Structure formats: structure tokens, C-alpha cells
Amino acid sequence: MGLAHRLGAATATALLLTGGLAGCSLPGTDGPSSSSSSPSGGRKAEGAVGGAGFDNAAKPVVKGTFDSPIAQGAKIDIAVMGLRAKGRLATLNVQLTPHVPPGGPTRVNAYRLNGEHGLGTALIDPVNLKRYVVVKDSGGKDLQTDEIFTNMANDQATPFSFTFAAPPENVKSVDLQIGIWPTFRDVPVER
């Protein structure tokens, strides 16, 4: 086998591995959406090593529509997509959908929807009487979607995620506070 043939085969193999690891699909395949579900309810990535996957809730656990102070008549839909604990951390996934009437601000973000205040998202543990706040990374940054720099399109759902210390195993559900809006009660903790 010649050097050019071996280089071509090595290049093709590298491209296939790169595409598979990045979640890309090859022409003629159904792409990542055809991957199988993992037992934990998340999606298992094709070609993933060690059963890696991602959270992919199709339906919200609970949702509500509330007034927003961003403009007269403005509303926000909050859909809680799930709270999944793994190890010592728990990840909350929500979708926020702004509904700002014509004539309202054109730049919309969660900070402005919440009356120009941070969301202050927290889990409330009714069993152990604890309040869990978003954890910080080693650089001191909150492990959550940015409330100010994540621009939102009007009438379009925008995904947000928040990471907390996981409640203990004996806690099956928690209450959830997001911004100025009413508390969501009994949000299940998936494990």
C-alpha cells in the first residue's frame, strides 16, 4: 500500500471520527435525532463513549403564564422541562417565552422580563428545610444561562439551565422559585 493511499485512509478515518464525536451525521443518515434514549430519560449520543448523553425532555413537567413588568400587557410563559440530579449536582432546565405587545421594548432578556432584577432561581427543599441556590464554578461564575446577555425573541421559547447542589436522595420533589413569579410546587427530582 502506497503512502498516498495510507494518508487518504487515515484522513477519511479522522473525518468520520470527528463527525461522529461532534454529533454530526453522515449524508444519508437520520442524524442525531435518530439516536436511542438512555435509561435515565436523556438522549444517548451516537458513537458516544461510556453512554454519554444529554437531557432532552419533550414535554414540560409544569408550566405557567405570568405577567411581566417589562411592558404594559406583557406576559411570560415558564415551562419547567425537568430537574435531574446526578452525583452531587442537579440541573434544572426551563424554557422562557416572552410575549411583549407591539410598542414594547425590542431588546428582551430574562433580566428585563423580571423587572430589571436577576432571576434568583432557587430550589426549596421542604423535607430538610433548605434553600438551594445556583452553584458557582471555580472562577466564581454562576452555573446558569446568562440572564442579561441571552437575548430572547418575542413569542419564541428560549432554553435556560441552572445547576444546584443536589438535594439528598430522600427528597423526591422540591419547590422552585424563578424571579418575581409564583412558586412552582412539587417539581420532581429525577435521578
Side-chain angles (χ1 to χ4, degrees), residues 68-153:
S68 170
I70 194 170
Q72 183 70 29
K75 303 275 186 193
I76 183 170
D77 296 337
I78 301 175
V80 178
M81 305 308 288
L83 175 62
R84 182 176 308 274
K86 182 173 184 198
R88 296 177 58 193
L89 296 175
T91 303
L92 171 71
N93 290 305
V94 299
Q95 290 181 352
L96 304 180
T97 307
H99 302 287
V100 180
T106 55
R107 184 172 176 264
V108 178
N109 60 30
Y111 179 81
R112 294 188 76 195
L113 286 165
N114 191 43
E116 298 193 0
H117 298 284
L119 292 177
T121 304
L123 305 177
I124 301 164
D125 175 351
V127 175
N128 299 295
L129 304 178
K130 289 187 177 183
R131 180 174 175 262
Y132 299 92
V133 296
V134 173
V135 297
K136 296 182 183 303
D137 67 13
S138 59
K141 184 176 179 346
D142 288 340
L143 288 176
Q144 69 176 45
T145 304
D146 194 286
E147 304 160 331
I148 295 174
F149 296 110
T150 301
N151 289 319
M152 303 168 71

